[in-house]
Amino acid sequence: MSVALVTGSAGLIGSEAVRHFAGLGMHVAGVDNDLRRYFFGPDGSTAWNRHLLITSLASAYTHFNVDIRDRAALAKIFKRYGRDISLVVHAAAQPSHDWAVREPFTDFDVNAVGTLNVLENTRLHAPSAAFIFCSTNKVYGDTPNRLPLTEHETRYELEPEHPSYNGIDEQMTVDATMHSLFGVAKLAADVMVQEYGRYFGMMTACFRGGTLTGPGHSAAELHGFLAYLMRCVMEGRIYNLYGYKGKMVRDAIHSHDVLRAFEAFYRNPRQGEVYNLGGGRFANVSHIEAFALAEKITGKPAKVNYQEQNRLGDHQWYISDMKKFRKHYPEWAPSYDIPAIMTEIYEANVDKWLE
């Protein structure tokens, strides 16, 4: 049986990958030691999701409570399945640029060195496997903030005639910019994934995600923008909003659409590719607009603590241009807009979060 190996298998994208590829008849090996709980506390723990995967998928899923920094333990997993592994989805990460400042060694060891560990084991034991890396738009640093934005009532925006109006593409420079320490570690991993594709001829892809979201997010303040915003409104928590008058814009893509994109690459892989991944013009929202939508969905008021100082390196406006991916994989198109995403987050968590 063909095997999909998924790191970060109990997280948002990892768990969606587990269910998706198990649903295609593959056996899935998941690697996740709930380091997210260490990063973000009980709110961020993925233990609940791990339990659901193990109980619902039974023999289709094998879970390994292993840290991707542990080379010996990781090698044992790869040796166990060997060339039966036809796909690796590397979703394990320290995902917060704010948290990275607390422990730079931990952040770099997980995001950069951990990625190298997974890549090298793939090369040694399953060199023909398609390798998908969950990268980030933070590899571009704060360069997007140099765009000539105009201020509107609820958001910052580009004029329609601007070349980047439909989104930022893969040609944006990654140099001479403030990345955050998180962004630097992810960029190191991103370039390494590209290099394994070009140097060793492996089928690798870096998906530079915008806001990846969905009901499976273990929403915490330092990571999980839309899910955490909805959780705050539902639970009556105060949401700390940092800078830009709350008009900063993010595009968002549902985890289901992410996995449809991953499957498209898996079925027709390429060497050393880079793709921006997000909701684009189809699904984007400012914080102000997201609060208004959350209030409409829940019928509850948002409680916001606005802080004038924006987060270092934070994007004022980011919308992904996915024309490159859609040219390579024309059968793919996003299916969840912002109202659909936020409504599903609400409905999936109403029993857990509603005050």
Side-chain angles (χ1 to χ4, degrees):
M1 180 180 290
S2 185
V3 173
L5 190 148
V6 179
T7 71
S9 59
L12 172 68
I13 300 303
S15 62
E16 189 87 34
V18 171
R19 294 185 179 94
H20 187 92
F21 290 105
L24 296 181
M26 300 175 72
H27 182 78
V28 183
V31 179
D32 196 310
N33 66 333
D34 198 14
L35 201 56
R36 192 177 167 92
R37 182 183 181 92
Y38 174 75
F39 299 144
F40 308 127
D43 279 355
S45 174
T46 58
W48 64 276
N49 218 355
R50 178 189 64 212
H51 176 74
L52 282 177
L53 293 175
I54 292 171
T55 55
S56 65
L57 296 177
S59 61
Y61 177 66
T62 303
H63 188 86
F64 296 91
N65 187 36
V66 166
D67 192 312
I68 60 170
R69 293 171 294 179
D70 187 337
R71 290 177 181 167
L74 202 57
K76 288 181 181 178
I77 299 170
F78 274 88
K79 288 176 182 177
R80 173 172 172 171
Y81 295 104
R83 292 177 183 265
D84 287 340
I85 299 172
S86 62
L87 171 66
V88 175
V89 177
H90 179 38
Q94 189 296 106
S96 167
H97 82 239
D98 294 307
W99 193 93
V101 180
R102 300 179 183 178
E103 295 185 27
F105 284 124
T106 302
D107 177 75
F108 197 85
D109 284 344
V110 170
N111 286 335
V113 181
T115 299
L116 177 58
N117 293 342
V118 180
L119 268 172
E120 181 64 1
N121 272 289
T122 303
R123 183 181 76 86
L124 293 175
H125 304 291
S128 298
F131 188 101
I132 292 171
F133 173 54
C134 295
S135 188
T136 172
N137 60 19
K138 293 297 188 291
V139 301
Y140 300 117
D142 62 1
T143 300
N145 292 352
R146 301 173 197 170
L147 293 169
L149 301 172
T150 56
E151 184 177 349
H152 295 244
E153 183 178 355
T154 62
R155 60 162 52 205
Y156 290 104
E157 192 54 275
L158 277 179
E159 295 301 321
E161 62 270 15
H162 192 277
S164 293
Y165 176 78
N166 286 320
I168 292 165
D169 66 21
E170 297 83 0
Q171 299 305 308
M172 176 167 277
T173 181
V174 297
D175 295 321
T177 182
M178 180 183 289
H179 292 87
S180 79
L181 298 184
F182 160 77
V184 170
K186 292 291 282 189
L187 178 58
D190 184 303
V191 175
M192 188 66 78
V193 172
Q194 294 181 56
E195 193 65 16
Y196 267 65
R198 295 188 176 93
Y199 195 90
F200 296 114
M202 291 171 59
M203 299 299 183
T204 68
C206 300
F207 284 86
R208 293 173 173 172
T211 297
L212 311 184
T213 191
H217 221 152
S218 296
E221 182 173 11
L222 294 183
H223 186 250
F225 156 51
L226 276 182
Y228 182 68
L229 184 150
M230 181 61 81
R231 181 173 193 169
C232 284
V233 175
M234 291 171 70
E235 292 186 343
R237 292 193 194 188
I238 295 173
Y239 185 101
N240 292 312
L241 180 61
Y242 297 97
Y244 297 134
K245 304 177 184 179
K247 297 182 180 183
M248 54 282 224
V249 172
R250 303 284 183 269
D251 69 339
I253 182 169
H254 192 286
S255 53
H256 173 72
D257 288 336
V258 171
L259 262 297
R260 290 174 49 245
F262 288 0
E263 182 188 345
F265 179 83
Y266 167 64
R267 292 190 181 281
N268 187 20
R270 302 165 67 99
Q271 291 181 2
E273 281 292 359
V274 172
Y275 300 112
N276 285 353
L277 179 67
R281 278 289 168 191
F282 177 72
N284 63 85
V285 69
S286 74
H287 280 66
I288 288 176
E289 292 162 355
F291 283 122
L293 188 53
E295 289 178 330
K296 180 179 178 181
I297 292 170
T298 65
K300 302 182 69 173
K303 299 177 181 178
V304 181
N305 175 34
Y306 179 71
Q307 316 242 347
E308 191 68 35
Q309 180 60 50
N310 60 278
R311 300 183 304 168
L312 288 175
D314 203 12
H315 290 153
Q316 191 170 351
W317 181 95
Y318 192 96
I319 290 177
S320 306
D321 185 340
M322 288 191 63
K323 66 177 178 291
K324 178 184 176 184
F325 181 80
R326 297 191 69 173
K327 180 181 179 181
H328 290 177
Y329 302 97
E331 71 278 12
W332 183 91
S335 59
Y336 283 79
D337 61 11
I338 296 296
I341 289 171
M342 294 187 67
T343 299
E344 187 172 290
I345 290 172
Y346 170 79
E347 291 174 347
N349 293 287
V350 68
D351 293 333
K352 291 191 292 184
W353 294 348
L354 196 58
E355 187 180 53

